[in-house]
Amino acid sequence: MTIWQEAYRGYQISYQARDSVVRIARPGENEPLDVIEYAAPGEGRSILRIKAKALIDLDRARLR
């Protein structure tokens, strides 16, 4: 079940509560990136958002 979903720089970010996982998809793609961020015990939504956005920035830098 998706708890929250948002877009950042065209990437889609969704947090799946069942697996405590953040999935990130590139613009125009439905499949998530190979990099999936798992929530550590006690991590809240704001920390997961920061981690997801950092992964997106890293992916964008690699594509250049």
Side-chain angles (χ1 to χ4, degrees):
M1 175 166 103
T2 300
I3 295 292
W4 55 264
Q5 197 167 11
E6 67 178 288
Y8 175 72
R9 297 189 178 187
Y11 287 64
Q12 293 299 314
I13 305 168
S14 64
Y15 175 71
Q16 309 291 319
R18 181 177 177 178
D19 303 325
S20 298
V21 142
V22 174
R23 287 182 167 54
I24 303 166
R26 286 187 180 114
E29 295 183 13
N30 293 326
E31 294 297 316
L33 295 174
D34 291 338
V35 179
I36 297 174
E37 186 64 48
Y38 290 89
E43 283 187 334
R45 186 181 296 188
S46 60
I47 293 173
L48 289 173
R49 279 186 170 133
I50 290 168
K51 286 182 170 185
K53 290 176 180 180
L55 289 171
I56 289 169
D57 291 339
L58 180 64
D59 186 63
R60 288 171 47 97
R62 274 188 276 172
L63 294 176
R64 292 181 190 180

